[in-house]
Amino acid sequence: MSRRSADKVVFRTKFAERGEASEMMGILEAMAGECCSRNQTLRRYRSMSGKTLSDFIRQGEELVRRNREVEPLADPAELENLVHEQAARLEGESAAEGVVRAVRSGAVCTADHHGGLYFAQAFQGDILFSLLLERLGFGEPTVPILCAGQVELENASYARGICASMIPDAKQYFPIFPAKDSVQLASYAEPINTQMLARFRHRFLENEDAAGNEALREALDGILKAAYEREEVLSLPRFSDQVTRIGAALTGKLFAGEGKTFIYLEMESLLTPLLEKELADPCSLPARLLWSDTLRQNLLQERLEDGVTVAEALFWGADEKGRKFHLTLTPDGWLEGKDWRRQIVRYPADPASLEALLAERKIFPGVFLMVLISFFERSLTWLGGMFQSSYLPGYQRALVSLLERGGLAREARTIGAYDCSGYISGPVFGLYRGNGFAAPAAPVEAFPNRLELARIRELAEKTDLWDAHLMGLADIYFDLIGRKDRKEDWYAVIGRELYDRYPDHRLTGYES
């Protein structure tokens, strides 16, 4: 049932006897060490001995409070109004008011991929973010999550359908969208329709043993009824809008008693109108970056940490099938790239042309521009994952450098004052315990059992921070270690070790 047959991990008995605990401990730590060698955020948190998840949340709170002391370059109310408008349109006025109050805390979770509702690492990060909001004085149940929609449906977070971790040898993938749409961006996907859901039911629920076990079958059936098979979802014209309603309904069913409802808002559709407004104002910072001769020259010269120039990080293109391709701002004022057919694409990058291209969705803003107008200009701290917390400081350094060289000292000082290392999605606190294996609990695993916030807060107080990363190692290892370099049976090895090592972190699953 894995996403690709080549990715399916076959369960073997190499470690069936398990051996000494120290041997298994060594294997787990060695795999984590490989990951640390490839990501500076993981290296940083590995060194924080003696810290708990509660300390981690308090650290995030302190970072946000420091950033709130920086005087913003632009009015945050403009962004708050857009958040209110999008949330109200999709979830109603009451939810929108709660979302805006949360945004006024000065922080937002930006680690998720839009549509990837069942990715355990992100889901547990969203819960940790809700606990951080509580420390900032926002204790309401409505929690906004700004999600990047510029990822393929077949991305590791799997917006293409539903994924689960209820068997020992592999994560299971249950597609809703057909295979032909796998490389389509989530933000460009057509809506889920009744035919798609009927095929899903036939393939995974009505077909004997298709979903693997009865508990999984019941969870998938309940999720379809509660979140997908509703007129208010199926009537929407875009998958991106459907995700918001599906996510709110789904998370509203995952907690026993006191709970949280996550309002997943697509970042691109939220922030593109704000970018269009700024580009229409020649005095705005984005407009000056693009059309001031000095600053544009600096964009072409200033390099990010991966070696590309800032001019290569501003916009992406999308073809008629919703597949993205890279665009570079050229010295003569064009956006240039190659599409999926390897044909050269050139768009004029003057103000009127950019406005039209954005409106027609032939281009969309990259993360660099979105973080510029929401975080660096309006003081909304981004709290992301292990990749984002590594590259945002690089964006900051490059932007400060090119602004200083362009004579914008005030803007450079303001942007340089922020702490961009915020991190929320990565540590894991709760496991699904199966028969001899464990995996991070996500919505499918939680749906039949329900989560208790009191239990989660208790785990946060006593869970060692590095142990929390080890519990999330399967997703981390998959992200950072290429297929040819992965250890044999890596998924099964991690699952068995988590089962043995963390018996007190069971949130869902079998009692044994």
Side-chain angles (χ1 to χ4, degrees):
M1 294 290 175
S2 64
R3 182 175 42 157
R4 300 186 184 94
S5 58
D7 277 341
K8 184 167 183 177
V9 185
V10 179
F11 182 84
R12 298 183 178 90
T13 59
K14 180 177 179 181
F15 297 104
E17 298 301 321
R18 290 198 173 89
E20 297 297 324
S22 59
E23 179 186 359
M24 289 299 294
M25 175 75 149
I27 292 169
L28 200 65
E29 291 290 353
M31 295 170 75
E34 287 183 77
C35 295
C36 287
S37 70
R38 290 165 167 81
N39 184 268
Q40 64 184 12
T41 297
L42 288 180
R43 290 197 297 274
R44 184 168 81 244
Y45 281 91
R46 190 183 196 181
S47 66
M48 293 184 182
S49 59
K51 298 291 186 181
T52 67
L53 266 182
S54 287
D55 294 327
F56 173 74
I57 294 168
R58 282 189 284 271
Q59 177 181 308
E61 175 204 4
E62 292 166 2
L63 182 151
V64 174
R65 291 191 185 281
R66 289 195 302 270
N67 283 347
R68 277 168 36 177
E69 295 175 359
V70 179
E71 184 69 25
L73 293 170
D75 186 0
E78 296 172 306
L79 176 54
E80 293 166 6
N81 290 339
L82 289 171
V83 169
H84 183 277
E85 179 183 321
Q86 185 161 324
R89 176 173 62 86
L90 294 169
E91 281 299 310
E93 184 64 28
S94 178
E97 291 175 358
V99 164
V100 170
R101 284 194 293 271
V103 167
R104 286 174 182 157
S105 73
V108 68
C109 178
T110 52
D112 293 30
H113 293 156
H114 204 53
L117 300 172
Y118 304 94
F119 189 51
Q121 192 179 57
F123 174 65
Q124 295 203 26
D126 297 343
I127 296 175
L128 292 176
F129 176 67
S130 75
L131 300 185
L132 188 150
L133 285 180
E134 290 177 356
R135 292 197 59 84
L136 290 168
F138 178 82
E140 298 179 54
T142 306
V143 180
I145 309 291
L146 299 195
C147 314
Q150 53 189 271
V151 292
E152 292 79 5
L153 292 175
E154 191 85 354
N155 182 275
S157 58
Y158 204 65
R160 187 183 163 196
I162 298 173
C163 56
S165 300
M166 285 186 168
I167 62 172
D169 55 337
K171 187 179 287 190
Q172 292 175 284
Y173 296 91
F174 305 97
I176 296 175
F177 286 92
K180 67 180 179 63
D181 295 334
S182 294
V183 295
Q184 187 177 48
L185 295 177
S187 58
Y188 282 75
E190 294 294 316
I192 293 171
N193 58 43
T194 54
Q195 291 77 25
M196 292 179 183
L197 296 178
R199 285 196 299 268
F200 185 97
R201 279 194 169 277
H202 176 72
R203 183 177 179 186
F204 300 119
L205 300 180
E206 297 166 2
N207 204 8
E208 187 176 357
D209 295 329
N213 61 59
E214 192 58 31
L216 178 54
R217 191 192 310 272
E218 289 178 4
L220 293 177
D221 176 65
I223 287 170
L224 289 185
K225 290 175 179 174
Y228 289 81
E229 296 171 334
R230 301 180 298 135
E231 177 61 24
E232 55 264 40
V233 169
L234 296 173
S235 63
L236 291 170
R238 296 180 61 225
F239 173 60
S240 289
D241 287 346
Q242 288 180 322
V243 169
T244 303
R245 288 187 178 169
I246 291 169
L250 174 66
T251 56
K253 297 286 187 180
L254 296 182
F255 296 89
E258 175 196 12
K260 301 290 184 182
T261 299
F262 298 129
I263 308 297
Y264 298 99
L265 300 176
E266 184 193 80
M267 197 180 295
E268 289 78 5
S269 57
L270 177 70
L271 295 179
T272 296
L274 184 60
L275 177 63
E276 291 172 334
K277 180 178 182 297
E278 293 222 25
L279 293 180
D281 177 4
C283 296
S284 75
L285 185 52
R288 285 183 288 174
L289 286 173
L290 288 171
W291 299 306
S292 158
D293 290 341
T294 300
L295 289 175
R296 185 162 67 188
Q297 188 62 32
N298 291 345
L299 286 177
L300 297 164
Q301 295 173 348
E302 192 70 44
R303 293 193 177 274
L304 302 170
E305 295 191 353
D306 59 2
V308 305
T309 64
V310 176
E312 298 173 83
L314 301 174
F315 294 98
W316 288 85
D319 68 10
E320 74 282 359
K321 294 184 178 180
R323 301 173 299 187
K324 74 177 178 181
F325 56 89
H326 188 249
L327 290 171
T328 298
L329 181 67
T330 65
D332 56 349
W334 290 74
L335 289 174
E336 184 174 296
K338 288 186 178 180
D339 64 16
W340 278 67
R341 302 176 186 87
R342 307 302 298 168
Q343 296 177 343
I344 293 176
V345 176
R346 276 173 61 86
Y347 295 131
D350 60 275
S353 297
L354 280 188
E355 180 183 5
L357 290 166
L358 287 166
E360 296 165 12
R361 305 187 76 216
K362 291 183 177 179
I363 66 171
F364 56 89
V367 174
F368 184 93
L369 281 176
M370 292 196 297
V371 75
L372 169 62
I373 62 176
S374 59
F375 187 169
F376 295 150
E377 283 197 296
R378 290 174 173 82
S379 299
L380 185 63
T381 297
W382 282 31
L383 297 172
M386 63 182 180
F387 295 115
Q388 190 182 106
S389 57
S390 297
Y391 66 69
L392 284 195
Y395 284 3
Q396 180 188 42
R397 285 189 289 272
L399 188 54
V400 167
S401 173
L402 69 89
L403 290 175
E404 287 178 339
R405 291 188 290 114
L408 299 182
R410 180 180 71 89
E411 289 83 352
R413 281 195 305 274
T414 297
I415 293 170
Y418 292 114
D419 187 336
C420 303
S421 63
Y423 175 50
I424 199 66
S425 181
V428 165
F429 49 82
L431 301 174
Y432 168 84
R433 283 175 64 80
N435 187 11
F437 75 97
V444 171
E445 294 75 41
F447 193 84
N449 301 275
R450 304 294 192 267
L451 305 176
E452 295 182 358
L453 279 176
R455 168 72 172 147
I456 292 170
R457 294 188 185 100
E458 173 190 323
L459 286 173
E461 289 291 342
K462 69 179 185 180
T463 300
D464 177 85
L465 185 52
W466 184 240
D467 281 335
H469 284 85
L470 291 179
M471 283 190 278
L473 184 59
D475 287 330
I476 293 170
Y477 191 83
F478 181 86
D479 270 341
L480 291 174
I481 309 300
R483 187 184 306 167
K484 65 181 177 60
D485 296 323
R486 293 173 196 155
K487 296 187 182 299
E488 186 180 26
D489 296 337
W490 62 272
Y491 188 94
V493 168
I494 292 172
R496 289 197 300 275
E497 172 62 6
L498 296 184
Y499 181 87
D500 286 340
R501 187 170 174 182
Y502 301 109
D504 296 333
H505 286 264
R506 176 190 176 277
L507 285 183
T508 68
Y510 298 105
E511 292 293 341
S512 59

